[in-house]
Amino acid sequence: MRHSRPSLFTPQFTLVFSITFITFFAAFQLFPTVPLRLIQLGASVAQSGWFMGAFTIGSALGALFTGPLGDRLGQRRMIVASTLCFTAILVLYGLIQDHWGWFCVLAFPHGVVWSGLLTATMATLGNVLPADRRADGMNLYGLASPGGVIFGPLLGVTLFGCFGFPVIAFGLAGAFLLLAGLATILPPDRPARERRPPFQAPERLMAAPCSVLLATALGYGVLGTYTTQEALALGSPAPWAFLTFMAVGMVGMRVVMSVAGFDTQPVRRLPSMLWLACAGLLVLALAPTGLPRHVFSALLYGAGYSMVHTLINTYVLETVHPERRGAAFGATLFSFDAGISLGSLLIGGVIGWAERRYGAAGFRLGWAISALMALAAVPLSYRLVRRVDRQS
């Protein structure tokens, strides 16, 4: 007798999916417009990347503590508390009218709160997915974040141009207040079975996936801040195009994978996805100037890069004990955000120098360095695949 596979579309899964969609829809209105607001308040092009650097440092360091804290206190409590803190910080952003430095001061605690929200959401997802459909479930769940990214930059940049940044900040504060209400109907937290310290060192098996995320995030760190600025410098009619079509590429690859299916060891597809992301960055660095360059490179990059996270998160769910998933996802988020922060500060500094010296063409130097960083992750991914093959 043929047994039917368990459904992924449970009420709990739908709720976690919705929370993630709203989170990224709101965040990607903020990420491309804060640098523009900083420039309005007197920051230079290079300094406009400091916000993302401070934000991701806060997220990276915070993840080492918020992940284990979610395991101790309960993931639902962590999600509710994080979204309420988000609301307060966004209100403060909207009230800043004098010096751009206050954004960077708030960015660090904002990043800590972001880490608590992401690690708790991922740990909650592990409890609602059927054990034998984790790869399929992660692929479907992965549509939530790019779904929000598709529309977030377009709406954010449009609102910024029409009404200014405070309208965006106060509107997003309302969105996160809504998220706090949605989070209260998540499944109740299970009581912790053991006393846990506030910090838990990641398990050794997390070293390989964290290394891949760190290497890929170095190049990713400048895309959210500087692709929009490059497009504006070139007079593009669609300065939001890269971020929006990156999300379209993410969605497209997930549709393809839902039809093609996954290997018994999904992580085996990781190297090919990294090659695809590297190709997208090379197009951005080398292709002739014009809107098609941003669109095509974003589609390639988004298709490959989004699956990197899906494959690594599936690996974590399959190998880490459920009561330590918060700490495990804290380790992956630390690696990812540490890479984004370093990329924002170092590659962003190179872009700022090159832009002053060569004008809009200077952005291409940053994209070339980003491509090299993605390429460095490829041998790390092959090492992870060989480790999985030896264990199977």
Side-chain angles (χ1 to χ4, degrees):
M1 180 181 295
R2 184 178 179 180
H3 297 283
S4 60
R5 303 184 73 187
S7 174
L8 294 174
F9 291 98
T10 63
Q12 294 178 355
F13 176 83
T14 303
L15 180 56
V16 175
F17 184 99
S18 300
I19 289 174
T20 302
F21 172 82
I22 297 173
T23 297
F24 279 84
F25 175 66
F28 273 82
Q29 292 177 59
L30 190 70
F31 293 159
T33 56
V34 166
L36 302 178
R37 178 60 170 167
L38 298 190
I39 291 173
Q40 277 187 342
L41 295 176
S44 67
V45 171
Q47 289 169 332
S48 68
W50 290 9
F51 168 82
M52 204 63 192
F55 179 91
T56 49
I57 288 173
S59 180
L61 296 177
L64 297 177
F65 296 90
T66 58
L69 185 62
D71 289 333
R72 294 177 64 196
L73 301 181
Q75 307 302 345
R76 184 172 69 174
R77 292 188 185 93
M78 179 63 72
I79 293 173
V80 172
S82 297
T83 49
L84 289 175
C85 289
F86 248 92
T87 302
I89 291 172
L90 287 165
V91 169
L92 292 176
Y93 283 150
L95 295 176
I96 296 173
Q97 300 292 330
D98 46 7
H99 194 278
W100 60 269
W102 288 111
F103 277 87
C104 298
V105 172
L106 286 172
F108 183 86
H110 189 182
V112 174
V113 173
W114 171 263
S115 73
L117 181 57
L118 293 192
T119 56
T121 303
M122 286 300 303
T124 300
L125 181 66
N127 295 329
V128 303
L129 287 176
D132 59 345
R133 299 201 64 188
R134 281 176 178 150
D136 292 328
M138 287 301 303
N139 185 50
L140 180 61
Y141 170 76
L143 292 171
S145 53
V149 175
I150 286 175
F151 302 105
L154 171 59
L155 180 61
V157 173
T158 302
L159 290 175
F160 183 88
C162 294
F163 303 106
F165 182 80
V167 170
I168 297 173
F170 295 139
L172 295 184
F176 277 95
L177 190 61
L178 172 63
L179 279 183
L182 286 175
T184 60
I185 58 176
L186 284 168
D189 296 318
R190 293 181 298 179
R193 297 181 180 178
E194 60 183 69
R195 294 182 61 86
R196 300 175 185 271
F199 173 77
Q200 291 175 261
E203 300 176 61
R204 292 183 60 185
L205 60 87
M206 294 301 301
C210 287
S211 298
V212 172
L213 286 176
L214 176 65
T216 53
L218 287 169
Y220 175 79
V222 293
L223 295 176
T225 298
Y226 291 105
T227 52
T228 301
Q229 292 188 42
E230 182 192 45
L232 290 171
L234 293 171
S236 171
W240 41 263
F242 185 91
L243 293 178
T244 295
F245 281 94
M246 179 178 71
V248 172
M250 294 176 178
V251 173
M253 177 57 77
R254 294 181 187 284
V255 172
V256 170
M257 292 305 301
S258 67
V259 175
F262 291 86
D263 193 276
T264 54
Q265 293 291 345
V267 78
R268 290 183 180 134
R269 296 187 181 273
L270 184 58
S272 60
M273 297 301 169
L274 287 169
W275 281 115
L276 192 59
C278 185
L281 290 170
L282 286 173
V283 169
L284 193 61
L286 303 175
T289 299
L291 181 59
R293 163 176 162 258
H294 269 199
V295 171
F296 185 56
S297 64
L299 289 171
L300 288 176
Y301 184 82
Y305 189 76
S306 70
M307 291 305 298
V308 171
H309 288 266
T310 293
L311 296 171
I312 287 180
N313 288 337
T314 302
Y315 171 83
V316 171
L317 289 178
E318 292 178 345
T319 55
V320 175
H321 190 278
E323 294 187 7
R324 291 183 58 85
R325 283 176 183 158
F329 285 119
T332 60
L333 184 59
F334 168 79
S335 302
F336 176 60
D337 281 348
I340 289 180
S341 179
L342 289 172
S344 296
L345 296 175
L346 299 180
I347 303 178
V350 171
I351 289 176
W353 170 82
E355 188 270 341
R356 291 192 301 272
R357 190 176 181 89
Y358 304 109
F363 287 91
R364 290 180 180 265
L365 179 59
W367 311 144
I369 297 173
S370 298
L372 291 176
M373 297 300 99
L375 186 62
V378 174
L380 295 172
S381 69
Y382 281 113
R383 180 178 300 179
L384 178 59
V385 170
R386 288 194 296 270
R387 177 174 298 178
V388 170
D389 287 341
R390 287 196 302 267
Q391 293 173 348
S392 61

